[in-house]
Amino acid sequence: MTALLRAEGVSRVLPGPQPVTLVRDIDFALGAGEFVAVTGPSGSGKSSLLYLLGLLDRPTAGRVAIEGRDTAGMSDDELAGLRLARLGFVFQFHFLLPEFTTLDNLLIPMRRLGRWGETEREERARALLASLGMAEAADKLPEQLSGGMRQRAAIARALANDPALLLADEPTGNLDTRNARIVFDIFERLVVEQGRSVVVVTHDQEQAARAPRQVRLVDGRIVHDSGA
């Protein structure tokens, strides 16, 4: 069976008089419907790995394939198109556009993709928000939402184009315990009920323990993978 995502021999080195290795010799495969937590000490390469897996950065060596498609030879535009259609991203900061309503923040990536007509886009966006307990937030600006609601809106936006894989970088870093739990509840539902794959980088060991598969990085290398 073709892996949803596969990284083979992936390394990332920042050039310069004293080159800095962010990750080295990473081999990682992800199947459909997997929930993976990536942990490790600060500076271990967790976020760097996520950016490589999410095609936001290119490896210095090795290759990343999405649904069997080798991305090494893709142009920047091709990578952007693949990210838009198949990957969703959630970061520590919600990055909602402040001048747009919550609903419009979801519609922006949907319009870029152009897969649905405007009526269907709005119906899908409102249904997504409702599924995350955010129906009443659709017409509000981000500044009118609590921190936890903003992050849920960011998750809804990441799901707007129906991605196969959601990648989250410290998504609970600015949240209290209750809202952190809500975010991980959402991730679990996406995996169990919708069969999506989720990879989340987190320092929160309590929440990370909820993921069936644990990957730990130290000094840019995978030192433990419970799914290997």
Side-chain angles (χ1 to χ4, degrees):
M1 181 183 297
T2 301
L4 174 61
L5 180 149
R6 186 180 300 276
E8 296 179 344
V10 167
S11 296
R12 180 68 171 101
V13 180
L14 298 180
Q18 296 182 316
V20 177
T21 300
L22 301 177
V23 299
R24 65 186 76 200
D25 302 324
I26 296 291
D27 291 317
F28 176 79
L30 180 75
E34 278 203 86
F35 183 10
V36 182
V38 180
T39 63
S42 297
S44 60
K46 302 186 297 298
S47 295
S48 297
L49 175 60
L50 198 78
Y51 276 55
L52 290 164
L53 298 180
L55 312 181
L56 294 168
D57 192 13
R58 293 181 183 265
T60 308
R63 59 188 288 271
V64 176
I66 303 291
E67 296 176 320
R69 299 173 61 188
D70 189 350
T71 64
M74 290 186 179
S75 67
D76 289 346
D77 286 345
E78 288 173 322
L79 289 176
L82 185 55
R83 287 195 305 268
L84 183 65
R86 303 304 292 153
L87 308 178
F89 299 90
V90 181
F91 301 98
Q92 180 173 353
F93 302 100
H94 54 80
F95 293 124
L96 297 171
L97 297 176
E99 66 271 31
F100 292 99
T101 65
T102 302
L103 180 68
D104 283 332
N105 268 279
L106 269 66
L107 291 173
I108 290 169
M110 297 170 79
R111 288 172 179 146
R112 284 184 60 206
L113 184 63
R115 184 180 292 166
W116 305 283
E118 189 65 19
T119 299
E120 188 175 358
R121 288 173 195 152
E122 182 167 339
E123 290 174 350
R124 286 179 51 81
R126 289 188 182 278
L128 259 176
L129 289 170
S131 72
L132 300 182
M134 295 280 291
E136 77 284 359
D139 299 314
K140 293 182 178 179
L141 295 172
E143 67 180 14
Q144 297 173 295
L145 306 179
S146 68
M149 292 180 74
R150 290 175 191 171
Q151 196 63 311
R152 276 186 280 159
I155 294 172
R157 181 184 55 188
L159 297 171
N161 286 336
D162 195 25
L165 171 60
L166 189 70
L167 298 137
D169 188 11
E170 297 285 5
T172 63
N174 285 328
L175 301 180
D176 58 26
T177 301
R178 174 181 172 274
N179 281 298
R181 190 178 302 114
I182 289 172
V183 166
F184 270 76
D185 287 345
I186 292 169
F187 292 159
E188 286 183 338
R189 292 207 314 270
L190 294 174
V191 172
V192 174
E193 298 175 8
Q194 300 181 20
R196 298 185 199 271
S197 296
V198 175
V199 177
V200 55
V201 165
T202 182
H203 68 280
D204 188 331
Q205 294 296 326
E206 180 181 350
Q207 300 304 327
R210 299 173 60 178
R213 182 176 172 189
Q214 310 276 321
V215 172
R216 180 170 175 79
L217 262 64
V218 174
D219 294 334
R221 296 181 184 271
I222 293 178
V223 296
H224 172 75
D225 184 349
S226 64

